[in-house]
Amino acid sequence: MAHYKAEQDDWLTVYLKYLLFVFNFFFWVGGAAVMAVGVWTLVEKSGYLSVLASSTFATSAYILIFAGALVMVTGFLGFGAIIREDRSCLSTYFCLLLVIFLVELVAGVLAHMYYQRLSDELKLHLTRTLAENYRQPGAAEITASVDRLQQDFKCCGSNSSADWQHSTYILSPEAEGRRVPDSCCKTVVARCGQRVHPSNIYKVEGGCITKLEQFLADHLLLMGAVGIGVACLQNTSRKIPGAWGPP
């Protein structure tokens, strides 16, 4: 009977060991996905960040990158703990999972909260940026962001192309008679912004605000969903009993 009980315990240990191994693999993959979303956001979409009034969008991405990297490192620790059947290492592993859960939850909530404030920030800040900062000394990054924004989203001006009538740049001799920047043109050539006919420039209802608002909302919701989703998955894993006793 004792021999049967020992065999049963051994079978249960092996079962829990492999179950934890499988869960740890999914955590590691989830961490890689979280980090990839954060890196992709900063690398591919960083051209728009300088037109925003706050750094919350970039901060959310950095938090996801940090959390994703921490998940991957913790995943390697978990694999080692499972293979070696080291209780102390397993305890550290579960403690790190708790830390990661909190970090990713904060990133997800931060992204969601910022999404709620996004529209107001854009309406207040983008129009002022176009009017006061475009092609001004020391604002090369903002100028490049605005040009890329208008070309990528095929839009012109904050709410409409008429917004450029109040721009410091357009009102200056440097504009050389342009009524909008050349980046508003469907085909960009030198001084094409002198002609504002719809056949020449983008006339999008709602202007760039509508396009940028939707873009950022989609990406913030994606970051929030990934962060909270992986965090909840990790929290669920902490309820799985350890294969070698509680951590």
Side-chain angles (χ1 to χ4, degrees):
M1 187 72 176
H3 177 69
Y4 174 77
K5 179 84 164 57
E7 286 186 349
Q8 189 178 41
D9 289 343
D10 289 342
W11 178 87
L12 182 60
T13 298
V14 171
Y15 170 77
L16 290 175
K17 178 178 178 179
Y18 282 106
L19 180 63
L20 189 57
F21 191 92
V22 170
F23 266 96
N24 189 67
F25 173 76
F26 282 113
F27 300 150
W28 190 89
V29 172
V34 167
M35 187 168 67
V37 169
V39 171
W40 172 72
T41 298
L42 290 180
V43 172
E44 294 295 325
K45 312 303 175 184
S46 60
Y48 309 129
L49 298 182
S50 60
V51 301
L52 301 178
S54 74
S55 60
T56 313
F57 182 75
T59 300
S60 297
Y62 281 120
I63 291 176
L64 284 184
I65 292 173
F66 170 75
L70 189 58
V71 168
M72 296 182 73
V73 172
T74 303
F76 284 120
L77 176 64
F79 287 131
I82 295 167
I83 293 172
R84 294 165 53 196
E85 302 187 9
D86 188 329
R87 287 190 180 187
S88 62
C89 195
L90 195 64
S91 298
T92 304
Y93 168 70
F94 276 99
C95 288
L96 285 174
L97 278 184
L98 176 60
V99 172
I100 294 166
F101 166 73
L102 295 175
V103 170
E104 289 183 337
L105 191 62
V106 167
V109 171
L110 185 63
H112 180 72
M113 289 176 60
Y114 186 58
Y115 165 67
Q116 303 299 322
R117 298 164 35 208
L118 186 59
S119 179
D120 290 339
E121 175 181 315
L122 286 176
K123 289 173 182 176
L124 289 173
H125 186 71
L126 186 58
T127 302
R128 185 170 67 248
T129 296
L130 268 57
E132 300 176 3
N133 301 114
Y134 185 80
R135 287 199 177 272
Q136 299 305 299
E141 186 178 358
I142 290 178
T143 299
S145 293
V146 172
D147 285 338
R148 181 179 174 184
L149 173 68
Q150 294 191 139
Q151 278 293 296
D152 286 358
F153 291 136
K154 304 184 187 307
C155 59
C156 183
S158 179
N159 296 287
S160 71
S161 59
D163 293 332
W164 286 109
Q165 296 177 8
H166 309 290
S167 168
T168 301
Y169 165 68
I170 295 298
L171 296 174
S172 71
E174 295 178 8
E176 299 180 329
R178 291 178 178 86
R179 298 171 64 185
V180 295
D182 292 343
S183 58
C184 281
C185 299
K186 296 178 179 179
T187 301
V188 179
V189 295
R191 292 187 291 278
C192 63
Q194 293 174 342
R195 182 168 172 265
V196 294
H197 191 274
S199 63
N200 183 52
I201 69 169
Y202 295 113
K203 293 277 191 178
V204 179
E205 184 177 350
C208 292
I209 280 183
T210 303
K211 294 283 191 94
L212 183 59
E213 179 181 0
Q214 186 59 51
F215 165 81
L216 292 177
D218 291 343
H219 281 74
L220 285 168
L221 289 176
L222 173 63
M223 287 192 288
V226 169
I228 293 175
V230 174
C232 291
L233 180 63
Q234 289 167 344
N235 187 54
T236 301
S237 75
R238 297 181 66 252
K239 299 176 183 178
I240 299 176
W244 310 284

